Amino acid sequence: MIFTRRDALKTAIFATGATLAAPAIMRHAALGADPIKIAGIHDASGGLDTYGLPMIACLDYAVDEINASGGLLGREVLLKNYDPQSNIQLYTQFATEAATKEKVAVVHGGITSASREAIRPILKKFNTLYFYNTQYEGGVCDRNEFSTGSTPAQNVNKLVPYVLKNWGKKVYVIAADYNYGQITSKWIAKYTREGGGEVLATEFFPLDVTNFGPLISKIQAAKPDAVISALVGGAHVSFYRQWAASGMKKQIPLASTTFGGGNESVVLSPEEGDGIVSAFSYFQEVDTPENKAFLEGFHKKLGDKAPYLGAELAMRTYIGVKLWAEGVKRAKSVDRMEVIKALESGISMDTPAGKTTLDAKTHHTTVDVFLATCSNHGFKVIETFPQQPPADTASVCDLIAHPNENKQYIVDIKI
Amino acid sequence: MDYAAVVALQILSGVATLVIVSLGLAVVFGMMRVINLAHGEFLMLGGYTAVLAYGRGVNLWIALLILPPIVVGLVGIVVERLLIRRLYGRMIDTMLATWGLSLALIGGVTMLFGNSVTGVSAPLGNFSVGQFHVSVYDIFLMFAAMALSMAVWAVLKFTPAGLLARGTMQNAEMASALGVAPDRVYAVTFAAGAALSGLAGGLIAPLSGVVPTMGTAFIAKAFITVITGGAAMLTGTLTASGLLGSVSTIFTFLTTPVFGEVALLIVAIVLLRLLPRGITGRFLRRSL
């Protein structure tokens, strides 16, 4: 037999390939068949990374937990994390790649409503199940998508009555100038009016505005009893600084639908942040045995690298993965329709954030909502509202009656 | 009445902010004709210097007012030596190079310190105008803007260094023939411009917070102000800041910050249509 140079090369390549692949093959062998591929698309860099990085940490942690307890259906769960760098174009590119090239069983991802609306149609088109795990303005009605974060009927609906009852009836609303802020400010107006209050003014700010001096003077001239903020992102944090610097923080109290979703409470000094009230479906400081156990495991695994989880975004990502895993277990398959049907069968789960139940009609969740006040770089929970249904989306969306619906309703709020 | 006083204060503070963020660019672009697209990142570096120094226990005023101009001035010397020096008179190339520098600085700072907002609380507390509360730091910024402008004016007008700089910018060959080393004058002027930008970054850090991409919010306004100002760099920057800052703040009060920005841009466009060489291309031509 003649052993040519080409043969030698082939042998070498095969041998190298086999050696490199061996650990992977052996790892899969331990858990039986092929791994179940899933994808995460969260901003690990760029302007939104303060939200994205804790979400990714929780996503990784949830998948590790599942694999440590034997995987799903005897198969390992293989997570691929994409970093869209706070760039919507990359979102669409990665969603397409995850759905077509990787053929993943589910995509968890999207932070802003803009990124969600960019990838939702793509995943629908390619029949890939989608979980959106962020607090948002509500109204998405799409059988292929599950929204596990809280919506205005759950958080604004608790925040506004608190403000009206404790601080007074006249409120001044300031919000970020894109769909989240525009729609949320309408909800604030609705609940204020229903509570017998009055919105003195509503102002919108593009995400790059850092000079709030004129606004602060205008607020002082309007003399409200309270200010409600739906400001978003890093630049808007300077509002809280300037508000405190002008001495107004001691005069007029501040509540927010967004404060704490990012790292606001961490970067502001206690003088600037303390006392601001927020409502979310989770705070790291929630005092339950489940949450304590979760944080213990989380910190044990990540050590110093464990991010501060703040409000709900990261925790909802963890819960989203767990809900999906429960759906797969019940369906005994990763087939998209089978899993959707299983998820619609009324899955309820005790989580670190309290009991979370998936609602078949809206594909949203019933959650516990917490009111908390910012205190020394963290939060102190002051009130808990158990089991709040997603009433806003439920008023417009019924996926049992209309399974083929695919749109985001802008809930009609008359002001 | 109180409200009028507060609005007036806000207008002055808007003008002061424009002056502060534009002065460094006025030196680098207005005097030297170097289109420095990394001006915003010089501000950002100044802001980071202030915040990091304060975080490590440096006295707040040293962190805000002393360290940023020194650090960014040094950065300016290095940048001039490695980049700008090779590109004098080549406008397009300078733009590309400084744009690249701007991206590199944003990327570098993001890698080192992460892409999250940090900052320091504004010092000095607040005072009342009637029933209104105003931050004392806003007033401090107005005085800082005045002091900086006067310092720049005094240096250019009364010191030999200022005379050399003005002479060299007007006619480098003649200055060279008279025994001045234009290289050195250019280097020092660029470093001075960078130091002014760094100081501006330190001054605005307590108001805006610092983040690697913060420069983009200021660079367009700085360029518009300097270009609208025209040939006489100091008078031009001051008059343009006064006009644009007032218009923008007044419209912000009347409507929203969005229209405030729109109004600023419209005024700048109309002005440049009527006075293509800037305000000082027509008025106050003999000033500095």
Side-chain angles (χ1 to χ4, degrees):
Chain A
M1 184 189 144
I2 305 162
F3 196 71
T4 61
R5 217 182 305 181
R6 182 168 295 181
D7 285 331
L9 204 60
K10 273 187 200 159
T11 317
I13 289 171
F14 182 76
T16 321
T19 318
L20 285 177
I25 292 169
M26 284 187 301
R27 198 169 68 220
H28 296 158
L31 276 169
D34 304 340
I36 301 172
K37 284 193 198 171
I38 71 171
I41 310 181
H42 300 90
D43 307 294
S45 57
L48 294 169
D49 66 349
T50 55
Y51 304 107
L53 291 172
M55 294 172 89
I56 295 165
C58 279
L59 181 59
D60 290 342
Y61 184 70
V63 170
D64 285 349
E65 245 184 32
I66 291 169
N67 285 332
S69 62
L72 277 179
L73 315 175
R75 293 162 69 183
E76 185 197 13
V77 177
L78 196 65
L79 166 68
K80 177 152 191 182
N81 272 316
Y82 294 93
D83 173 16
Q85 300 161 29
S86 308
N87 176 343
I88 299 285
Q89 275 170 16
L90 288 176
Y91 264 100
T92 54
Q93 183 190 322
F94 288 145
T96 311
E97 189 182 318
T100 56
K101 184 168 157 237
E102 301 291 337
K103 298 196 169 41
V104 297
V106 64
V107 171
H108 287 264
I111 300 180
T112 61
S113 295
S115 62
R116 178 198 67 237
E117 288 309 301
I119 63 179
R120 194 168 63 80
I122 294 172
L123 296 171
K124 177 105 175 165
K125 184 169 85 187
F126 292 121
N127 291 326
T128 305
L129 187 58
Y130 175 37
F131 270 69
Y132 176 62
N133 303 308
T134 312
Q135 170 238 22
Y136 84 109
E137 68 279 359
V140 169
C141 196
D142 174 355
R143 202 166 171 218
N144 190 51
E145 194 218 68
F146 288 87
S147 308
T148 64
S150 64
T151 54
Q154 293 163 320
N155 49 51
V156 178
N157 192 15
K158 299 298 164 235
L159 192 67
V160 170
Y162 176 87
V163 168
L164 297 178
K165 186 173 140 226
N166 292 288
W167 296 341
K169 302 285 186 196
K170 287 187 288 184
V171 301
Y172 200 106
V173 181
I174 50 180
D177 197 1
Y178 72 106
N179 52 0
Y180 171 76
Q182 298 276 0
I183 295 173
T184 303
S185 66
K186 284 190 183 169
W187 283 104
I188 295 173
K190 174 184 153 73
Y191 290 124
T192 305
R193 212 188 39 235
E194 285 176 7
E198 180 194 357
V199 174
L200 297 180
T202 306
E203 295 217 37
F204 298 102
F205 297 86
L207 290 175
D208 59 350
V209 169
T210 56
N211 177 17
F212 291 92
L215 167 73
I216 289 169
S217 304
K218 274 163 116 172
I219 294 178
Q220 298 188 44
K223 296 196 197 66
D225 296 320
V227 175
I228 300 183
S229 134
L231 297 175
V232 174
H236 285 181
V237 171
S238 49
F239 167 75
Y240 302 106
R241 287 185 192 289
Q242 293 168 25
W243 182 248
S246 69
M248 287 310 297
K249 189 161 162 288
K250 294 193 185 72
Q251 311 287 324
I252 300 176
L254 196 64
S256 173
T257 63
T258 46
F259 188 89
N263 60 352
E264 291 93 342
S265 66
V266 180
V267 301
L268 291 177
S269 70
E271 294 78 47
E272 292 162 333
D274 281 11
I276 298 175
V277 173
S278 311
F280 282 102
S281 70
Y282 175 77
F283 288 93
Q284 179 171 311
E285 290 80 3
V286 165
D287 188 17
T288 60
E290 288 90 352
N291 190 35
K292 224 171 139 193
F294 170 84
L295 289 174
E296 224 163 73
F298 189 67
H299 283 121
K300 201 165 144 198
K301 174 138 187 298
L302 292 171
D304 293 343
K305 287 187 189 129
Y308 175 64
L309 298 180
E312 68 180 66
L313 274 62
M315 176 48 69
R316 286 289 146 199
T317 307
Y318 171 81
I319 295 170
V321 177
K322 290 301 187 110
L323 286 171
W324 168 77
E326 183 61 28
V328 172
K329 274 184 208 155
R330 289 201 189 182
K332 299 193 176 58
S333 153
V334 290
D335 176 73
R336 183 181 72 109
M337 274 326 289
E338 297 300 319
V339 175
I340 290 180
K341 278 179 200 155
L343 288 167
E344 286 171 343
S345 67
I347 287 182
S348 196
M349 195 179 268
D350 283 319
T351 73
K355 195 165 116 181
T356 295
T357 308
L358 263 181
D359 174 43
K361 228 176 99 183
T362 58
H363 282 205
H364 283 58
T365 52
T366 296
V367 294
D368 289 354
V369 175
F370 305 91
L371 263 181
T373 164
C374 180
S375 164
N376 195 21
H377 296 299
F379 282 91
K380 231 188 323 205
V381 176
I382 47 179
E383 215 172 331
T384 305
F385 303 89
Q387 297 303 293
Q388 299 298 314
D392 40 13
T393 312
S395 68
V396 284
C397 174
D398 185 350
L399 288 165
I400 296 171
H402 310 283
N404 293 323
E405 196 123 49
N406 175 20
K407 66 185 281 195
Q408 177 176 17
Y409 283 96
I410 309 289
V411 180
D412 185 29
I413 310 154
K414 289 176 196 72
I415 299 178
Chain B
M1 184 56 219
D2 295 344
Y3 190 58
V6 169
V7 171
L9 274 180
Q10 284 300 337
I11 291 174
L12 284 177
S13 129
V15 173
T17 314
L18 267 190
V19 171
I20 288 170
V21 301
S22 307
L23 261 184
L25 190 70
V27 171
V28 169
F29 173 61
M31 266 179 82
M32 301 175 68
R33 313 313 295 171
V34 171
I35 299 188
N36 179 18
L37 289 180
H39 172 68
E41 281 58 50
F42 284 5
L43 291 178
M44 179 267 287
L45 288 180
Y48 265 93
T49 309
V51 169
L52 291 174
Y54 180 62
R56 277 162 191 60
V58 176
N59 173 285
L60 179 66
W61 295 107
I62 296 179
L64 290 185
L65 304 178
I66 311 287
L67 290 180
I70 294 176
V71 171
V72 182
L74 291 175
V75 171
I77 292 176
V78 175
V79 168
E80 202 274 346
R81 188 91 219 181
L82 297 178
L83 212 60
I84 309 291
R85 169 160 299 191
R86 291 150 216 287
L87 300 169
Y88 284 123
R90 291 158 61 186
M91 243 179 204
I92 304 284
D93 300 339
T94 321
M95 274 172 73
L96 272 178
T98 53
W99 188 35
L101 176 67
S102 135
L103 297 177
L105 287 175
I106 293 177
V109 172
T110 307
M111 264 183 0
L112 284 175
F113 305 115
N115 196 343
S116 57
V117 183
T118 46
V120 293
S121 312
L124 297 176
N126 57 82
F127 70 101
S128 322
V129 180
Q131 54 190 324
F132 292 94
H133 292 262
V134 181
S135 164
V136 179
Y137 195 75
D138 279 354
I139 312 290
F140 173 75
L141 278 189
M142 291 170 210
F143 284 103
M146 265 192 276
L148 272 182
S149 316
M150 276 161 66
V152 171
W153 177 73
V155 167
L156 287 178
K157 184 94 180 167
F158 299 118
T159 65
L163 187 66
L164 284 184
R166 285 188 289 146
T168 309
M169 300 312 153
Q170 262 179 19
N171 193 332
E173 279 171 22
M174 182 58 80
S176 179
L178 292 172
V180 178
D183 284 6
R184 202 170 300 161
V185 176
Y186 273 113
V188 171
T189 315
F190 189 85
L196 278 172
S197 311
L199 178 57
L203 282 168
I204 55 178
L207 288 179
S208 66
V210 299
V211 64
T213 48
M214 69 184 277
T216 45
F218 295 103
I219 186 162
K221 277 187 207 164
F223 264 103
I224 290 166
T225 308
V226 175
I227 291 172
T228 312
M233 69 109 193
L234 189 60
T235 323
T237 302
L238 291 180
T239 46
S241 300
L243 186 68
L244 299 177
S246 315
V247 167
S248 144
T249 313
I250 290 170
F251 272 85
T252 303
F253 264 105
L254 294 177
T255 55
T256 68
V258 184
F259 286 104
E261 299 274 290
V262 171
L264 184 151
L265 292 175
I266 290 177
V267 171
I269 291 169
V270 170
L271 258 180
L272 287 175
R273 178 68 189 83
L274 298 177
L275 310 167
R277 301 184 57 203
I279 298 173
T280 52
R282 166 77 55 93
F283 308 106
L284 305 164
R285 286 169 73 165
R286 299 186 55 82
S287 56
L288 266 177

